[in-house]
Amino acid sequence: MTKRLPFADESFDLIFHPVSNCYVENVQHVWNECFRVLKPGGTLLAGMDNGLNFLFEDICRLPLTVANALPFNPLKMDPERLEQMVRSGEGVQFSHSLEEQIGGQLKAGFRLCELYEDRDRPGECRLREFAPQYLATRSIKEARQQQTPSSTVRNFPERPTAAAE
């Protein structure tokens, strides 16, 4: 997702964004567009992979063997390995740092309200036995405040420094 969404500014009260950032190389555009189309006071519910699923070669069998650096970007790997991933049906997927995922929401203007962790379903993969693999956030686009005398910026006197005391 690199283009502007076909929606007017402030069109939605709620955005449910499932674990789909793994299909986008640069997620900041996603967060910026979510912020643009969300109404003031609206909520963004977002699911994300925390990267651990990309760290190991096979997350379903022990021993877990580290195979990739994080964040994982298949477009920056050996072209033969990328082609093998596409042929095997894995597709082209990316992992993202917490700075990109959560920091990106904050940078777009959201206020983070809640953070959750989750794991694959029992029996899915062995990695779930050791650590959560997913994050979910609830963030809001704060409503605009009317400028009133009680909400204006106040200039406070500077605190004395240690040398002045």
Side-chain angles (χ1 to χ4, degrees), residues 72 74 77 81-91 93:
F72 178 72
M77 65 175 23
R81 186 159 176 232
L82 174 60
E83 183 60 32
Q84 178 186 7
M85 288 174 66
V86 172
R87 277 196 312 269
S88 71
E90 290 178 66
Q93 295 185 37

Side-chain angles (χ1 to χ4, degrees), residues 1-6 29-30 33 36:
M1 182 185 140
T2 58
K3 297 181 179 155
R4 185 177 171 95
L5 293 171
H29 180 72
V30 173
E33 280 298 285
R36 182 185 67 78

Side-chain angles (χ1 to χ4, degrees), residues 4-157:
R4 185 177 171 95
L5 293 171
F7 306 109
D9 293 358
E10 302 179 353
S11 298
F12 299 98
D13 295 309
L14 173 69
I15 296 174
F16 177 71
H17 179 75
V19 181
S20 58
N21 281 350
C22 58
Y23 300 105
V24 179
E25 185 175 14
N26 178 357
V27 297
Q28 188 60 53
H29 180 72
V30 173
W31 303 133
N32 292 344
E33 280 298 285
C34 287
F35 191 82
R36 182 185 67 78
V37 301
L38 197 62
K39 292 178 183 177
T43 300
L44 168 67
L45 301 174
M48 298 157 267
D49 185 295
N50 68 10
L52 289 181
N53 289 322
F54 295 91
L55 183 63
F56 301 101
E57 186 62 40
D58 183 349
I59 62 171
C60 296
R61 291 187 307 175
L62 295 178
L64 295 172
T65 305
V66 173
N68 302 301
L70 297 180
F72 178 72
N73 184 336
L75 301 180
K76 295 180 179 175
M77 65 175 23
D78 175 49
E80 266 184 43
R81 186 159 176 232
L82 174 60
E83 183 60 32
Q84 178 186 7
M85 288 174 66
V86 172
R87 277 196 312 269
S88 71
E90 290 178 66
V92 177
Q93 295 185 37
F94 306 87
S95 78
H96 300 286
S97 67
L98 292 177
E99 185 175 351
E100 292 172 295
Q101 296 282 36
I102 296 172
Q105 290 180 44
L106 299 173
K107 185 176 177 182
F110 286 102
R111 181 169 63 85
L112 182 64
C113 298
E114 295 184 64
L115 175 69
Y116 309 92
E117 292 185 293
D118 202 4
R119 301 168 189 255
D120 274 328
R121 292 180 296 275
E124 283 288 312
C125 288
R126 301 298 303 269
L127 179 57
R128 78 169 308 280
E129 298 170 20
F130 302 100
Q133 301 127 282
Y134 303 99
L135 302 170
T137 59
R138 183 176 68 85
S139 298
I140 63 166
K141 178 178 181 176
E142 294 189 303
R144 291 186 206 102
Q145 286 188 334
Q146 295 290 331
Q147 240 358 39
T148 63
S150 63
S151 67
T152 56
V153 176
R154 296 184 187 141
N155 292 319
F156 292 98

